[in-house]
Amino acid sequence: MWKDIGDREMGKIRPNSFSSRIKSNRISNLQLSNNKDIVSPHRGSINSLQVDLTEGRYLLSGASDASAAVFDIQRATNYEGDGLIAKHKCLFSVDKQHQKGHKYAISSAIWYPVDTGLFVTGSYDHHIKVWDTNTTQVVMNFKMPGKVYRTAMSTLATSHMLIAAGTEDVQVRLCDISSGAFAHTLSGHRVYMVYKVPVIMYYMVFMVADGVMTVEWSTSSEWVLITGGCDGAIRFWDIRRAGCFLVLDQSQSQLGQRPPVLARSAANKVSVSKSLSAGQNLLVKSRVPQKKYANGHGMKQSTIARMPSKGSARQRLHPGMLSIQDRATAHYGAVTGLKVTDDGMYLLSAGSDSRIKLWDLESGYNTLVNFGKVRLQASKAIQLAVSQDSAQVFVPCMAVVKAFDVWSGKMSLTFRGHYESVNCCWFSSQDQELYTGGNDRQILVWSPSKTITDDTNGRQAKDEDSWSD
Amino acid sequence: MAMPVEMEMEMEGRGKVRALIEKATNSTASEVDPRLLKAIKSVVRFSDSGLRLAAHTLMDLMKRDHSQVRYLTLLIIDELFMRSKLFRTLLVENLDQLLALSVGFRRNMPLPAPPAIASTLRSKAIEFLEKWNASFGIHYRQLRLGFDYLKNTLRFQFPNLQETAARIERERRERERRTREILQNKFETLKMNFSSFKEEIQATADEIGECLDIALTKEEGVPHFLLDDEDFVEFRSSELRQIRLDSLKEGEKVHENSDNKVVFDALRELYKLLVTKHLVSVQEWISLLVRVEVADNRSRDSMLKELIDIRNSLMSVKKDCEESGCTLPKTVNKNEEEEEDFWEEGNFGLAENGSTTEPEKRREVQSSNIEKKSKSVEDRNSKTSNKQSGNLAKVSASCKVKAKDKECSSSKDKECSGSEKSVRSELLAEAPVLRWGSFMDNWGSVSNKDTLLNQNGLEFDNHWGRVDYDAVIPAEKIAELNLQAIVYQENLGEIQPCRAPLKKGGLCQRRDLKACPFHGPIIPRDDAGNQINQSSSTDDTDPGLGSDLAEQLAKQAVKNVKERDKEDARKRKLDKQSLQREKLARVREHNDAVLRDAAIASTSRSTVFGEDMGETVGENPVGRKKQTLASMLRKKVTTKDRLAQRLLNTRATEATLRQMTQGEDATYRETFPNQW
């Protein structure tokens, strides 16, 4: 670290790389924070966590007891143990007692991306509510056809204020905050097959969840929405057009990462990014040959190969709706978690088949990164987190959270602390802190280990060896 | 060269740690062998790698499928946890695992057999977790989390040792604080009144000195020179008094007689005041000053010094008094004290007094009594009224009552104030009404004197009676004789008639306490003579209500019989049930045996089972061997079991054979339904 500072002083390394080095160093030292406690007011499992995107200061949590709470993670409310432990109590919370609060578990709580004046909660009571943070009143209420699994708002959006909602229903709905109505209904996901296996006395029902477990907006285009359904499909939608324009297929794969952008010519780079945005606008058919050029290596199988097998039924459909026929799956079982990297080039997905997959968004191919053998929660949507430079992905694996290297799939860290399954995690890139929430009602803070500075305190003396004999 | 040796030692040490830990946990005792524990600690203390290895080994041992091993391991873990920081950091990493293995809160990971030790393991683990959390929770978030999870989510009951201790400590401190406060307050009041107290005490001491002077000079000096009021003032100087006392000490002791009686009475009074009030209060103040904590120690110390001086002087005065020879028996003192207390409470009411005092004195006494009420002790101790106050003290009690009495009966006394009246009426309202008795003759009088025995009538030559000063009744006896006697009076209610119906008609009119000789116990009956069964069963053992008691007894007897019958019936039923249960248990046991045998017969005999069998066979002839961990898990094998096994083995094999063939048939039928 001192060497880096020296180098920076000498001008040997650039500010960006200096800060990223420091950050990655800090990330590799993440551990359960002893001096930052979030006092959870929730009496149920934590289903959703998000730090606001504007200040990076307010943590919003949604829990199964129909409560949502906001914490100030920068300033502690009080200290304990001679100022050693900073306690962060919630600034406010809304729960069942609230006049217009949710009745059942809140599955998703997100900030309005533009400022912290609004937040959105989706609940199992079939409602999505938009709250005014300052008055803690409901300003808008959307009635959905079923349990809401996940809500999402685009961080890039400048021309729309849409909440994408994944519900029990197979149709994804977009709720418009500005008008208070449903703007779109995106249909394409299909009812998931329920396997019933007769076991001597009873039927073992393998999968009963149905609908769309997870939705995510693209981080490169404000019009692109990504949804993962219980049918195991990950679909890409351009909300300006009918139908989805891309369905990820796990059998379509390329090996490894694309060659780094810098290695290519600048012109090529432009064409790549263009092709991505253009690809969204074009029809599926026209996109396929284009991709062939853009994507140099690793393509094993053309999408055309599977297209003709669909038969003549698709001829009758609107060209935009062609992809409805596409039954490709990204996971065996439901897609439970989606996360787009910050640069918008890659997508990480987690499924109830206990697999984590990294997708190249430009080609739409599975990169075949092996994330090892993990066990993921299958019945609930999980929330993944990616570090800022997209080097690490944090995945809740039952009672622990694991950090994987995105490109190699190697597990780098294991965060043990929760006593029951972890549902969600959020990485705050500002402080390089990780927040995790689980079924044990705790919100844990994982922060870079403190440097030597604190050890000189007198109270620290209490924690040392005391051999009597 | 040094490196390999060190390495070797290191390796040796590591091996040793593992061996020691395994040896320590391989025991059936409820404690870890302290020698082994000490050895482990000493090995681990000086090497971090040893400690790491120990942590690893201990975690491995915690996974052992035996509660005893886990229990002992947990004890070692606790020892190391409380001592080593490195060990703590290593252990909290896997705290959830450790808790799952020791508390067994995960449903898929229950604690292993034997169950008795498993429960102690659990309680111990919970206790340890609480202890760890209390001592190190502030440094380890994991500890706090684990504690919180077990306590608030799983609702485990923690022994709460720390909190209980803290509560007791808090209560103690609170008590101390209150005591300090009280002391402080007392100290403040003392500080305020200190000078007046001092004066008062000094005045009393002076008075006593004067009294003594008077008494002694009277005894000796009367023959030589006349004593004046002015004269004894001179003697007040301490040196002179001291000389005087010293000289008197050698001389014969002063005796009380009619001449100096008044002085002695005063002396007695003062002495009492000194002993019962001043000395006690001085003693109290000293202890107060010793205990109290104040900011300005100087004033306290000076006060303490002064008080000690005062006490010493008081003690010397007391000694002087005692040496002066005036008789001051303790009991009398006590009596006086009680009387005085009694007096101040104002519990005197209608008291008649036979003894006579000069009526002229009464008014004077009365007026001074009023003054006394204001409790100005100085007034009483004023030098001029010295003699009078002596008298006063003596007669005060009886006089006042009498005066009041008189006032009440005749209301001649115009001088008495309205306030006195109101006090009187108050007292009257409170006063108990007593029967007359001889004890009232001396009511309120100070009788600390021995009484001369009246021999009137025994002597014929002197009709006034001869005065024999030796024949006296001691004062204690007199006091005893004057105690109020109360005769017990029982209040008999009317004895109820029997009221049993007679053959010739009418009711039996015999009145008996408990039972009628013709009709048995007396019980409440209605007009026709039929007995009434009262439901309420009050426990009345008053002999006056004997009839009720008898009735109760009879009812109880009936109830007892009924209950016994019921009990018998229940017992029979229970017997039947238990028999049935036994039968069921036997059937179940039989079934179990069959199933077990079937399992054993169907599979090839597991090695473990074989070992077990072998061991049991080998063990029996030798007798009880040393208890081992395995033996804790093993079920006792009885002869019956073994026989059953033998017998059932054949049956079970047959059964399984039959089942298997049937199963084959079924599958065949399913696979080839058309051929069937």
Side-chain angles (χ1 to χ4, degrees):
Chain A
M1 184 185 171
W2 299 116
K3 187 177 169 293
D4 283 349
I5 291 172
D7 286 352
R8 176 73 202 108
E9 218 172 344
M10 303 287 284
K12 278 185 193 166
I13 50 176
R14 311 190 68 81
N16 274 343
S17 72
F18 173 69
S19 73
S20 71
R21 264 187 221 189
I22 297 276
K23 277 179 183 170
S24 64
N25 189 27
R26 275 168 69 82
I27 290 169
S28 64
N29 281 325
L30 281 181
Q31 60 180 35
L32 187 58
S33 169
N34 186 42
N35 3 39
K36 202 169 186 179
D37 272 18
I38 290 181
V39 184
S40 163
H42 303 298
R43 287 189 300 278
S45 56
I46 315 288
N47 291 328
S48 170
L49 283 175
Q50 192 186 19
V51 178
D52 74 303
L53 305 165
T54 43
E55 286 175 83
R57 179 170 174 182
Y58 299 105
L59 176 72
L60 175 67
S61 66
S64 289
D65 64 339
S67 66
V70 173
F71 305 87
D72 187 343
I73 53 171
Q74 305 287 0
R75 183 174 298 172
T77 42
N78 62 318
Y79 290 88
E80 260 178 30
D82 300 330
L84 192 68
I85 306 163
K87 293 266 182 192
H88 296 260
K89 294 210 176 98
C90 63
L91 300 177
F92 67 86
S93 73
V94 286
D95 53 14
K96 276 184 204 166
Q97 266 75 50
H98 190 278
Q99 210 175 359
K100 286 182 170 173
H102 285 290
K103 281 208 259 319
Y104 303 134
I106 289 180
S107 54
S108 164
I110 54 166
W111 285 106
Y112 178 57
V114 180
D115 61 44
T116 53
L118 290 176
F119 64 93
V120 180
T121 56
S123 161
Y124 280 3
D125 64 1
H126 302 195
H127 282 277
I128 290 177
K129 293 187 182 188
V130 181
W131 300 78
D132 186 329
T133 315
N134 296 311
T135 59
T136 62
Q137 293 300 319
V138 176
V139 290
M140 208 157 282
N141 197 350
F142 297 97
K143 171 94 173 82
M144 306 305 286
K147 289 179 187 173
V148 180
Y149 289 132
R150 188 62 70 189
T151 54
M153 290 190 82
S154 173
T155 52
L156 304 172
T158 51
S159 53
H160 68 80
M161 291 171 75
L162 295 173
I163 305 166
T167 63
E168 243 178 342
D169 193 34
V170 286
Q171 293 177 327
V172 177
R173 277 159 207 260
L174 300 182
C175 315
D176 194 349
I177 298 181
S178 54
S179 70
F182 295 124
H184 297 58
T185 305
L186 310 173
S187 45
H189 284 288
R190 45 188 77 246
V191 176
Y192 188 68
M193 270 185 281
V194 178
Y195 290 121
K196 281 186 184 169
V197 178
V199 181
I200 307 167
M201 292 286 286
Y202 52 90
Y203 286 98
M204 210 177 215
V205 180
F206 274 121
M207 193 67 217
V208 287
D210 192 17
V212 179
M213 279 279 215
T214 165
V215 291
E216 180 91 4
W217 288 89
S218 163
T219 48
S220 56
S221 164
E222 62 170 305
W223 310 112
V224 175
L225 178 69
I226 307 160
T227 60
C230 288
D231 55 353
I234 298 174
R235 286 171 185 263
F236 284 65
W237 314 81
D238 185 331
I239 58 166
R240 295 166 298 184
R241 301 192 171 265
C244 64
F245 66 86
L246 178 61
V247 184
L248 295 182
D249 187 346
Q250 54 187 331
S251 59
Q252 303 263 318
S253 53
Q254 67 184 32
L255 274 174
Q257 210 178 341
R258 270 173 293 165
V261 182
L262 286 175
R264 302 190 205 176
S265 67
N268 199 359
K269 186 186 167 193
V270 171
S271 81
V272 167
S273 57
K274 239 187 196 158
S275 77
L276 181 61
S277 56
Q280 291 149 10
N281 300 343
L282 292 171
L283 296 178
V284 184
K285 264 184 183 171
S286 64
R287 187 171 58 87
V288 176
Q290 198 187 0
K291 198 170 64 191
K292 233 172 184 172
Y293 301 113
N295 190 29
H297 69 284
M299 185 149 61
K300 282 179 177 165
Q301 189 185 358
S302 153
T303 37
I304 302 168
R306 97 185 117 87
M307 284 304 199
S309 65
K310 291 279 158 63
S312 56
R314 106 187 112 97
Q315 304 294 329
R316 274 176 268 135
L317 282 167
H318 183 273
M321 300 300 281
L322 278 181
S323 61
I324 285 187
Q325 301 293 333
D326 196 344
R327 296 194 174 187
T329 55
H331 284 275
Y332 299 110
V335 179
T336 51
L338 284 178
K339 185 77 192 171
V340 187
T341 57
D342 281 348
D343 54 8
M345 308 262 246
Y346 291 89
L347 173 74
L348 281 148
S349 69
S352 61
D353 54 354
S354 285
R355 293 280 150 75
I356 304 160
K357 284 177 179 164
L358 177 70
W359 306 87
D360 186 339
L361 286 193
E362 201 256 344
S363 62
Y365 287 166
N366 183 2
T367 55
L368 292 182
V369 174
N370 180 16
F371 287 94
K373 203 178 166 192
V374 291
R375 205 167 146 232
L376 302 179
Q377 228 178 326
S379 55
K380 236 175 175 179
I382 55 173
Q383 194 183 322
L384 310 174
V386 174
S387 71
Q388 198 174 22
D389 51 354
S390 309
Q392 303 272 329
V393 59
F394 302 97
V395 185
C397 307
M398 303 313 280
V400 297
V401 177
K402 288 180 177 169
F404 295 97
D405 186 283
V406 173
W407 312 118
S408 68
K410 226 181 259 170
M411 193 184 79
S412 54
L413 287 168
T414 307
F415 303 102
R416 287 176 189 283
H418 283 284
Y419 278 79
E420 281 167 33
S421 296
V422 184
N423 296 321
C424 51
C425 47
W426 181 268
F427 183 77
S428 158
S429 46
Q430 188 176 314
D431 307 318
Q432 288 86 48
E433 275 179 344
L434 179 73
Y435 304 93
T436 58
N439 284 346
D440 58 355
R441 308 180 300 176
Q442 296 286 350
I443 301 172
L444 299 188
V445 185
W446 308 81
S447 54
S449 52
K450 287 263 172 164
T451 42
I452 336 122
T453 51
D454 268 14
D455 285 351
T456 48
N457 288 344
R459 54 181 175 269
Q460 216 51 9
K462 207 180 148 198
D463 182 30
E464 57 188 18
D465 286 4
S466 58
W467 295 96
S468 58
D469 40 5
Chain B
M1 265 322 270
M3 273 295 282
V5 172
E6 244 171 50
M7 289 262 287
E8 216 167 87
M9 275 180 69
E10 186 85 20
M11 288 301 290
E12 199 185 320
R14 300 181 94 192
K16 215 165 124 195
V17 171
R18 193 189 288 271
L20 277 173
I21 290 174
E22 292 203 333
K23 196 174 168 196
T25 53
N26 188 13
S27 139
T28 55
S30 62
E31 291 284 326
V32 184
D33 183 3
R35 288 210 335 274
L36 281 173
L37 190 60
K38 196 157 187 177
I40 293 169
K41 280 194 276 187
S42 64
V43 169
V44 147
R45 183 173 177 180
F46 299 106
S47 88
D48 279 2
S49 66
L51 202 60
R52 278 173 209 281
L53 184 74
H56 194 232
T57 314
L58 287 169
M59 276 312 283
D60 275 352
L61 281 171
M62 279 310 285
K63 288 171 196 152
R64 213 47 92 69
D65 209 14
H66 197 300
S67 279
Q68 175 70 12
V69 178
R70 289 195 190 182
Y71 177 68
L72 293 176
T73 311
L74 187 71
L75 292 180
I76 300 174
I77 286 177
D78 175 56
E79 287 290 326
L80 297 181
F81 193 93
M82 293 306 284
R83 282 171 176 75
S84 164
K85 181 178 176 177
L86 177 64
F87 190 78
R88 284 196 286 273
T89 39
L90 290 173
L91 215 70
V92 293
E93 294 290 317
N94 285 326
L95 190 72
D96 55 335
Q97 199 182 5
L98 176 66
L99 288 181
L101 291 170
S102 57
V103 182
F105 63 84
R106 293 211 197 283
R107 212 173 302 150
N108 53 354
M109 288 165 68
L111 294 180
I117 295 169
S119 69
T120 34
L121 170 68
R122 175 179 295 121
S123 61
K124 205 77 184 168
I126 289 172
E127 192 188 313
F128 282 157
L129 179 64
E130 191 186 27
K131 186 172 78 179
W132 296 345
N133 182 51
S135 351
F136 305 108
I138 183 174
H139 301 287
Y140 300 98
R141 177 85 169 105
Q142 288 92 340
L143 276 179
R144 271 177 282 152
L145 274 176
F147 181 73
D148 187 66
Y149 180 70
L150 288 192
K151 188 172 186 181
N152 297 331
T153 308
L154 298 182
R155 311 263 176 216
F156 270 94
Q157 206 65 49
F158 280 87
N160 239 345
L161 295 176
Q162 304 283 334
E163 207 165 284
T164 318
R167 207 189 54 237
I168 289 167
E169 175 69 19
R170 205 165 50 238
E171 276 170 8
R172 196 179 60 79
R173 231 177 275 144
E174 177 70 15
R175 223 172 19 245
E176 263 177 21
R177 194 184 57 75
R178 266 204 306 271
T179 320
R180 257 207 311 281
E181 230 166 59
I182 291 166
L183 282 179
Q184 194 71 33
N185 287 342
K186 274 189 182 170
F187 178 70
E188 291 301 321
T189 47
L190 174 63
K191 219 157 80 177
M192 276 200 293
N193 303 330
F194 191 58
S195 56
S196 70
F197 282 140
K198 231 165 43 184
E199 269 174 33
E200 194 180 310
I201 289 166
Q202 195 54 50
T204 315
D206 286 349
E207 256 175 65
I208 288 176
E210 280 158 19
C211 283
L212 281 176
D213 282 351
I214 296 166
L216 297 177
T217 40
K218 263 191 183 168
E219 180 68 13
E220 276 186 8
V222 166
H224 304 294
F225 56 87
L226 273 167
L227 188 83
D228 235 339
D229 269 15
E230 283 99 282
D231 276 344
F232 73 76
V233 175
E234 288 169 17
F235 290 122
R236 280 179 63 208
S237 74
S238 61
E239 293 95 345
L240 277 178
R241 193 168 63 221
Q242 197 57 44
I243 292 162
R244 187 102 200 138
L245 286 173
D246 283 347
S247 65
L248 275 171
K249 219 179 267 175
E250 275 115 41
E252 60 179 316
K253 297 241 166 168
V254 187
H255 286 292
E256 190 178 349
N257 53 35
S258 55
D259 289 338
N260 58 10
K261 185 174 180 293
V262 179
V263 181
F264 267 86
D265 282 343
L267 195 59
R268 248 178 242 121
E269 187 70 14
L270 287 170
Y271 176 78
K272 195 191 76 188
L273 187 71
L274 183 84
V275 172
T276 58
K277 193 181 162 203
H278 293 326
L279 213 55
V280 172
S281 55
V282 167
Q283 206 63 262
E284 266 174 18
W285 292 335
I286 287 173
S287 72
L288 165 73
L289 285 178
V290 168
R291 279 182 300 158
V292 80
E293 285 164 25
V294 283
D296 54 336
N297 271 330
R298 276 238 312 280
S299 74
R300 187 188 70 164
D301 288 350
S302 66
M303 273 168 82
L304 191 59
K305 216 173 275 173
E306 264 181 85
L307 273 175
I308 289 169
D309 286 345
I310 290 172
R311 192 188 58 177
N312 288 341
S313 70
L314 282 182
M315 289 305 270
S316 72
V317 168
K318 190 182 159 207
K319 208 170 131 222
D320 287 347
C321 272
E322 275 157 8
E323 278 175 358
S324 73
C326 58
T327 46
L328 304 157
K330 280 233 162 114
T331 46
V332 177
N333 268 339
K334 231 181 195 170
N335 269 352
E336 278 177 0
E337 210 177 304
E338 274 169 15
E339 270 175 10
E340 185 138 301
D341 289 347
F342 211 42
W343 162 248
E344 282 173 3
E345 282 164 26
N347 267 345
F348 283 163
L350 294 165
E352 285 144 353
N353 209 325
S355 70
T356 55
T357 332
E358 295 94 330
E360 305 94 83
K361 264 194 176 176
R362 272 190 209 155
R363 208 162 297 168
E364 188 186 317
V365 162
Q366 194 186 334
S367 62
S368 61
N369 262 338
I370 297 163
E371 277 170 18
K372 196 184 167 198
K373 266 223 137 11
S374 70
K375 307 227 179 217
S376 61
V377 187
E378 276 95 338
D379 180 37
R380 203 170 60 162
N381 292 343
S382 64
K383 280 172 233 151
T384 47
S385 68
N386 202 353
K387 197 172 158 189
Q388 193 195 6
S389 71
N391 273 334
L392 223 167
K394 185 194 157 206
V395 293
S396 58
S398 57
C399 278
K400 177 148 190 199
V401 174
K402 273 180 281 167
K404 275 190 182 174
D405 217 9
K406 193 184 161 203
E407 183 194 333
C408 157
S409 56
S410 61
S411 65
K412 273 175 200 164
D413 275 317
K414 299 285 190 289
E415 286 166 32
C416 62
S417 58
S419 70
E420 176 78 350
K421 237 176 198 165
S422 71
V423 168
R424 209 190 101 76
S425 58
E426 250 176 56
L427 292 174
L428 266 179
E430 279 176 24
V433 179
L434 296 176
R435 273 170 175 259
W436 180 85
S438 64
F439 65 95
M440 285 192 168
D441 289 352
N442 293 324
W443 186 274
S445 68
V446 188
S447 59
N448 55 356
K449 283 186 301 181
D450 299 344
T451 313
L452 286 172
L453 203 58
N454 187 2
Q455 292 161 322
N456 254 352
L458 295 176
E459 297 283 333
F460 291 96
D461 50 347
N462 184 352
H463 94 121
W464 287 112
R466 191 171 56 87
V467 177
D468 183 1
Y469 285 103
D470 294 328
V472 289
I473 303 170
E476 290 100 316
K477 272 278 182 289
I478 295 290
E480 250 173 63
L481 288 171
N482 280 340
L483 282 177
Q484 182 185 0
I486 299 168
V487 180
Y488 173 68
Q489 285 175 322
E490 59 177 332
N491 43 347
L492 272 171
E494 204 192 350
I495 297 169
Q496 296 297 319
C498 170
R499 285 166 64 82
L502 296 173
K503 270 181 200 161
K504 60 182 181 190
L507 300 173
C508 174
Q509 291 301 323
R510 269 191 70 99
R511 284 167 194 262
D512 290 289
L513 268 180
K514 286 182 183 173
C516 173
F518 306 112
H519 303 106
I522 290 162
I523 43 178
R525 292 168 193 275
D526 60 11
D527 288 340
N530 301 319
Q531 62 185 44
I532 308 160
N533 262 335
Q534 281 174 334
S535 57
S536 66
S537 60
T538 46
D539 216 344
D540 208 339
T541 48
D542 197 327
L545 301 164
S547 55
D548 279 2
L549 179 77
E551 169 218 334
Q552 297 289 333
L553 282 173
K555 227 191 296 172
Q556 187 62 43
V558 171
K559 214 195 280 174
N560 280 350
V561 169
K562 271 186 195 161
E563 248 168 32
R564 211 175 302 139
D565 284 350
K566 243 187 256 171
E567 186 101 64
D568 280 349
R570 205 170 56 220
K571 213 182 268 172
R572 271 200 298 278
K573 209 166 140 194
L574 272 178
D575 277 349
K576 219 184 271 174
Q577 271 179 351
S578 64
L579 258 174
Q580 211 160 7
R581 221 174 286 147
E582 220 167 6
K583 218 156 125 194
L584 276 175
R586 235 177 293 143
V587 168
R588 217 174 296 134
E589 206 172 55
H590 173 85
N591 286 349
D592 280 350
V594 170
L595 282 174
R596 195 174 56 223
D597 290 343
I600 291 161
S602 59
T603 60
S604 65
R605 280 186 151 207
S606 69
T607 47
V608 181
F609 187 76
E611 257 173 36
D612 263 356
M613 285 297 285
E615 265 179 55
T616 42
V617 168
E619 228 174 78
N620 272 343
V622 183
R624 294 291 295 166
K625 267 195 206 163
K626 191 175 165 284
Q627 214 186 2
T628 58
L629 288 171
S631 71
M632 294 172 84
L633 289 176
R634 199 180 305 135
K635 254 192 192 168
K636 289 244 167 57
V637 183
T638 58
T639 331
K640 195 178 144 213
D641 284 343
R642 254 176 284 135
L643 278 175
Q645 227 161 11
R646 281 274 173 79
L647 284 172
L648 294 169
N649 244 348
T650 45
R651 222 186 288 168
T653 38
E654 276 171 25
T656 39
L657 260 175
R658 205 164 48 235
Q659 268 178 3
M660 274 163 74
T661 46
Q662 263 179 3
E664 260 171 42
D665 279 354
T667 43
Y668 184 75
R669 243 177 278 175
E670 268 176 33
T671 40
F672 305 103
N674 49 350
Q675 291 176 19
W676 183 255

